[in-house]
Amino acid sequence: TFAAIGDRGAANISRWDDDGQRAILMLPSVCAPHCSSTELTSESMAWIADSVSALNEVATADRLGAFGVSLGTLGEHDPRLLTALTRELKGEDPTRELETIKPDEGWSVVGNGIALEVRTETRDGRARVERANGALRETIEALPQRTSMHRRAPVTDRMIVLTFDDGPDPVFTPLILDMLKSEQVKATFFIVGTQAEREPALVKRIANEGHELGNHSFSHADLATVLKPAADFEVAATDRAIETLTGKKPWLFRAPYRSNEAAEGPLDLVALARAQGHGHITIASTLDAHDWARPTATQMVTTLVTAAEQQNGGVVLLHDAGGDRTETVKALRPLIVQLRAARFRFAQVHDVMGLSIDQVNPSVDSSAVQHATWWSASIVIRGLGVFAIASLLLGMVRYLALLLGGLVQAYRERSIKLTTSSTAERLQVSVIVPAYNEASVILRTVRSLLGSEGVDVEVLVMDDGSTDGTADVVEREFQNEPRVKLFRLRNGGKSAALNRGFMHASHDLIVALDADTLFYPDTIARLVAPFSNPRVGAVAGRARVGNVKNWLGRWQALEYVVGQAFEKRAWSLLGVVNVVPGAVGAWRRQAVLRAGGFSRHTLAEDTDLTIAIQAAGWRIEYASDAVALTEAPEEISALLKQRFRWCFGVLQAAWKHRRAWMQVRKNPRQALILMPSVLLFHIVTPLLAPLGDIAAIIAIAGGHGKTVLPYALSVTAIEFLFSALGVLLDRARGTLLIDWIAYRIFYRWILFLALGKAIMTAIRGSAVGWGKLERSGNVMFSGRPASR
């Protein structure tokens, strides 16, 4: 007969089988690491110290004549055991290795009951090992202690405690309260903070009708998986909500997703420990109706009554919110009736724990300041939710409208063939290039203009007092080129240089571009083609980023593609264009002169003149196939500088033309479409988009996720579709979408910072200079224009 030693369980020192054969079963000893000294009496401690250890079991087995010994369950034994046996076999002294008993890495469930407490303190045990008559004998002096979950307050005497989680709900909670009142049953409601914030009257009714209040976190978050500060907020915020509404402290707590009476994993212990940190008593359930799985009312009643009979009572887990609880409501009355018929009596948690309701829900002083703080926070969270939904809906409508308008206009463009080089008469075009310290890029720009096809061009380089030799570079390179004219001016700003260029231009059709821009051979021909309509005063071309060197370049390139693929096309469909860009635009001299030329009073002279020309009754067209490559800032600081100037200039232009808003009868298109589009694209959208994101995040964290999240996901999906179709429509590189998520999250904040600075500067009335950007000269031709 073999003796099994070192295993967990109740000790059975020896027994005799019926057939008289001797068998020895020795179960726990050294299983001491799995025990807790708090459960042991002095007699049991003495018994463990004298009898139950692996060494002593071996000695006992030898004394009783066992043939040998074996481990009961491998892996469940005392970790010291194999070390000791190995040293014994080698003839070495194992005494020192046996003196310290390490607790294992698991946890113990101690006691019985519905009130749970986690004890995370651990300590080593101690043993005294002696050798007598050639054999070792061990005496355990201190048991090791490991993490444990202690249970107390068992449900006895056929008591039933009804508990409801996730509420209150405006539909189901009142029905449950009415039914409990009619049956004269008191229950325990574990309140979710966000639901309390939405339904304060129901929280008050629960307390006023004598039901217990418990904390079920603020947003029904899993306290074990969120960061500890977030878990602390979940518990504390719900406490404050219930205290403010009822004047009662909710000491009872139930962790979302972890209501069982025994820990099934380490995360259960984490959730309980975090609630304990706020002084709460975690209450487990022992009878689960699983109403979240949507069983029928009959199935729930049968399940609960059967389980209650088996356990002689218990804590029933039901839900009054979190979904359709119609079946739960239907099951409640027959459940109460059948349990009463089976001689069960209904109680509350405080009855099981031997306390009064005032001890689990004590009164607290709720000051006016606390009330004001809570309701202010509630209003703010609600307001953020409304703002988030409003901004998301606005964004959704905007994207869908632009998508529809852009696609319609793109179809119209493909159905109208604009003739260029095939016309019988070649158009004469003057091209103005204002330049200030552009020596590094000016030559490539002029060469690209001279290579234009289908038109006859003269190029006017207006050197605006450059200090880097820009004029000298142009003069040396093109001194024998009659189509290039150089004008040396005093530094007066870009608008002054452009106006001087219009004075010296030989032709009525004038193209203006920045000195860092490269034109394709057919860009000018396509840009001036819409002037065949005598009502057209200007034409906006399509700018593309030509220096896509890094992630910042890709983000700007994607912004340009999406903005022009849909936004400009959509507004062009309505007969307005909010800006003819300085990088690629064409003007009718007569329209510009009547509008007063380029203004020096705004930093966005192109936007200013665009508004003025349309106010004078001229049309402005968008030529999507007139493509130019422009240089975008390659560093964030340069981008912020550029966008600040643009935003501030748009604010100036909008203020300058503020009377246009009132001229609905005289120029309805300008008042109702043009001016709103200027503010919508340049001010409102970049301002609201990131703020809407923040509001959505806060509203979701505040428990309004079910309301806000569908809108947020829908807008994000539409934005991506918008971007992808824009890339497809303008035949841009698909690689621009690689880091779309990062572009969506971070790029709008860069624009927001620039816009915020511009708004604050405008409010203060500070003077703002032009802010010249350094050129890198990295613009590269990448084949033919994407529109071909």
Side-chain angles (χ1 to χ4, degrees):
T1 303
F2 283 83
I5 67 170
D7 203 6
R8 292 180 181 174
N12 184 1
I13 297 302
S14 65
R15 67 180 176 83
W16 293 90
D17 291 339
D18 292 338
D19 59 3
Q21 295 297 316
R22 186 169 51 188
I24 301 175
L25 184 62
M26 301 200 178
L27 296 177
S29 81
V30 195
C31 102
H34 313 303
C35 303
S36 171
S37 60
T38 59
E39 300 175 79
L40 301 176
T41 65
S42 58
E43 291 181 0
S44 61
M45 273 296 294
W47 176 76
I48 289 176
D50 292 337
S51 303
V52 185
S53 73
L55 289 175
N56 295 341
E57 287 176 345
V58 172
T60 303
D62 288 341
R63 187 174 67 253
L64 295 176
F67 182 76
V69 298
S70 67
L71 291 177
T73 304
L74 190 63
E76 294 289 317
H77 59 279
D78 187 324
R80 303 174 303 155
L81 185 59
L82 294 180
T83 301
L85 292 176
T86 301
R87 287 191 174 274
E88 280 284 290
L89 291 174
K90 291 181 178 180
E92 300 174 354
D93 185 7
T95 303
R96 180 166 297 179
E97 282 75 11
L98 298 176
E99 291 176 348
T100 301
I101 308 174
K102 294 286 186 181
D104 64 14
E105 296 180 356
W107 68 90
S108 302
V109 178
V110 180
N112 182 36
I114 62 170
L116 311 181
E117 177 188 357
V118 176
R119 299 180 185 176
T120 58
E121 302 83 2
T122 62
R123 67 167 181 261
D124 294 342
R126 298 189 314 277
R128 186 176 74 254
V129 181
E130 302 170 316
R131 187 179 294 275
N133 299 323
L136 291 174
R137 180 174 178 80
E138 179 184 35
T139 301
I140 298 175
E141 297 179 335
L143 292 173
Q145 180 173 306
R146 65 172 178 170
T147 299
S148 57
M149 185 178 78
H150 292 251
R151 297 166 51 188
R152 60 190 176 89
V155 178
T156 59
D157 300 329
R158 297 182 74 80
M159 285 195 299
I160 294 291
V161 179
L162 296 180
T163 65
F164 296 89
D165 289 6
D166 297 354
D169 180 270
V171 175
F172 302 107
T173 302
L175 297 176
I176 290 172
L177 289 173
D178 291 343
M179 200 170 299
L180 292 174
K181 187 174 183 179
S182 67
E183 294 292 337
Q184 296 183 344
V185 172
K186 304 298 183 184
T188 305
F189 288 81
F190 289 94
I191 304 296
V192 172
T194 54
Q195 293 297 111
E197 185 262 335
R198 292 192 188 97
E199 305 295 335
L202 283 177
V203 178
K204 294 178 182 179
R205 180 183 172 185
I206 291 171
N208 292 336
E209 294 185 1
H211 302 289
E212 291 174 329
L213 296 165
N215 186 322
H216 198 46
S217 83
F218 191 73
S219 64
H220 204 269
D222 187 343
L223 299 191
T225 58
V226 300
L227 296 176
K228 187 177 184 303
D232 291 339
F233 169 81
E234 290 283 335
V235 178
T238 306
D239 282 350
R240 298 295 85 76
I242 296 174
E243 290 169 11
T244 302
L245 294 172
T246 67
K248 302 288 185 180
K249 178 75 175 181
W251 283 124
L252 304 180
F253 179 84
R254 179 172 287 164
Y257 312 107
R258 305 182 187 279
S259 64
N260 291 341
E261 56 188 324
E264 298 178 354
L267 291 181
D268 291 342
L269 303 178
V270 173
L272 268 60
R274 287 179 169 179
Q276 281 178 204
H278 294 263
H280 289 78
I281 304 169
T282 297
I283 302 301
S285 64
T286 61
L287 304 173
D288 193 347
H290 297 286
D291 55 349
W292 49 268
R294 307 290 176 83
T296 64
T298 302
Q299 290 172 331
M300 280 190 273
V301 172
T302 302
T303 298
L304 292 173
V305 172
T306 302
E309 287 286 359
Q310 293 173 349
Q311 299 180 29
N312 199 32
V315 176
V316 177
L317 172 61
L318 296 166
H319 296 82
D320 62 327
D324 185 355
R325 301 305 177 199
T326 302
E327 293 300 311
T328 301
V329 174
K330 289 180 180 179
L332 186 55
R333 192 182 301 277
L335 175 64
I336 294 173
V337 171
Q338 291 190 34
L339 288 173
R340 275 182 172 156
R343 299 184 181 276
F344 286 97
R345 64 188 181 91
F346 290 94
Q348 291 177 283
V349 171
H350 71 269
D351 297 314
V352 178
M353 298 182 68
L355 304 172
S356 68
I357 192 171
D358 290 333
Q359 288 176 291
V360 296
N361 284 153
S363 298
V364 294
D365 292 330
S366 189
S367 66
V369 173
Q370 184 176 342
H371 277 273
T373 301
W374 166 253
W375 288 114
S376 297
S378 176
I379 292 171
V380 168
I381 292 176
R382 287 174 178 265
L384 287 173
V386 172
F387 173 75
I389 293 175
S391 61
L392 291 171
L393 279 175
L394 178 63
M396 190 181 304
V397 172
R398 171 178 171 267
Y399 282 121
L400 291 176
L402 292 177
L403 185 64
L404 177 62
L407 291 175
V408 170
Q409 181 64 9
Y411 176 79
R412 290 183 61 195
E413 291 173 357
R414 281 169 169 71
S415 64
I416 300 175
K417 296 183 178 180
L418 301 177
T419 58
T420 53
S421 57
S422 60
T423 57
E425 180 181 355
R426 292 169 64 90
L427 294 177
Q428 309 292 311
V429 181
S430 296
V431 183
I432 301 175
V433 185
Y436 175 72
N437 289 347
E438 308 284 6
S440 62
V441 295
I442 190 68
L443 295 183
R444 297 180 64 207
T445 298
V446 174
R447 292 192 190 106
S448 73
L449 297 173
L450 294 177
S452 298
E453 300 172 352
V455 292
D456 292 330
V457 300
E458 66 167 357
V459 179
L460 287 72
V461 178
M462 313 304 294
D463 182 74
D464 188 31
S466 299
T467 58
D468 68 341
T470 298
D472 298 333
V473 169
V474 173
E475 186 174 34
R476 284 195 304 269
E477 181 69 17
F478 301 108
Q479 58 184 339
N480 297 320
E481 174 54 73
R483 293 178 295 172
V484 177
K485 299 177 181 180
L486 173 65
F487 296 86
R488 297 175 183 264
L489 311 174
R490 290 183 178 180
N491 182 257
K494 183 178 180 181
S495 58
L498 286 169
N499 288 332
R500 288 289 298 275
F502 269 74
M503 291 175 56
H504 293 285
S506 304
H507 309 301
D508 185 53
L509 300 183
I510 300 174
V511 172
L513 70 155
D514 295 331
D516 64 326
T517 303
L518 299 182
F519 275 18
Y520 288 94
D522 60 353
T523 298
I524 295 179
R526 295 180 178 274
L527 190 60
V528 299
F531 285 113
S532 58
N533 181 351
R535 295 179 55 206
V536 173
V539 180
R542 176 155 63 95
R544 285 174 48 194
V545 174
N547 57 323
V548 183
K549 296 292 184 180
N550 55 20
W551 54 270
L552 188 58
R554 287 196 301 273
W555 291 357
Q556 293 176 87
L558 183 59
E559 177 196 17
Y560 277 46
V561 167
V562 173
Q564 295 176 106
F566 291 111
E567 292 179 1
K568 282 198 172 181
R569 280 190 170 100
W571 290 114
S572 180
L573 180 66
L574 297 176
V576 299
V577 173
N578 51 36
V579 60
V580 176
V584 51
W587 310 85
R588 192 184 296 274
R589 180 206 292 271
Q590 182 183 6
V592 172
L593 295 180
R594 286 185 179 179
F598 291 89
S599 174
R600 63 182 180 86
H601 299 295
T602 63
L603 296 182
E605 74 291 328
D606 45 10
T607 302
D608 187 355
L609 184 57
T610 301
I611 296 173
I613 287 178
Q614 290 174 100
W618 296 90
R619 286 184 59 85
I620 295 183
E621 298 288 348
Y622 171 56
S624 62
D625 54 356
V627 182
L629 300 177
T630 188
E631 180 175 321
E634 297 182 351
E635 297 179 356
I636 292 181
S637 58
L639 177 61
L640 287 171
K641 186 177 181 180
Q642 180 197 66
R643 295 311 172 92
F644 166 74
R645 173 165 55 84
W646 289 4
C647 293
F648 192 82
V650 169
L651 289 173
Q652 290 177 312
W655 178 255
K656 178 181 177 180
H657 296 279
R658 60 189 180 278
R659 292 183 179 178
W661 291 88
M662 310 303 296
Q663 298 176 347
V664 178
R665 292 185 178 180
K666 180 181 179 182
N667 195 335
R669 184 173 295 177
Q670 179 189 27
L672 301 178
I673 300 178
L674 174 61
M675 296 306 295
S677 76
V678 171
L679 291 183
L680 179 64
F681 284 125
H682 298 287
I683 305 299
V684 177
T685 298
L687 187 65
L688 287 185
L691 293 180
D693 288 348
I694 292 296
I697 292 172
I698 296 176
I700 292 171
H704 294 265
K706 291 182 179 179
T707 303
V708 176
L709 194 58
Y711 291 97
L713 294 177
S714 298
V715 171
T716 302
I718 291 173
E719 283 187 52
F720 180 77
L721 176 65
F722 195 73
S723 300
L725 288 178
V727 169
L728 182 65
L729 185 62
D730 276 354
R731 300 180 185 176
R733 292 180 297 178
T735 54
L736 295 179
L737 296 171
I738 290 177
D739 50 1
W740 184 86
I741 294 296
Y743 162 81
R744 166 67 174 75
I745 296 174
F746 299 110
Y747 188 62
R748 60 176 53 187
W749 280 103
I750 297 176
L751 305 184
F752 177 82
L753 291 175
L755 176 58
K757 181 181 177 182
I759 293 175
M760 295 305 299
T761 303
I763 292 174
R764 290 195 303 264
S766 305
V768 177
W770 178 262
K772 164 69 177 176
L773 297 177
E774 297 297 326
R775 307 295 190 188
S776 66
N778 289 328
V779 177
M780 301 292 293
F781 278 111
S782 55
R784 300 296 292 170
S787 61
R788 244 70 81 221

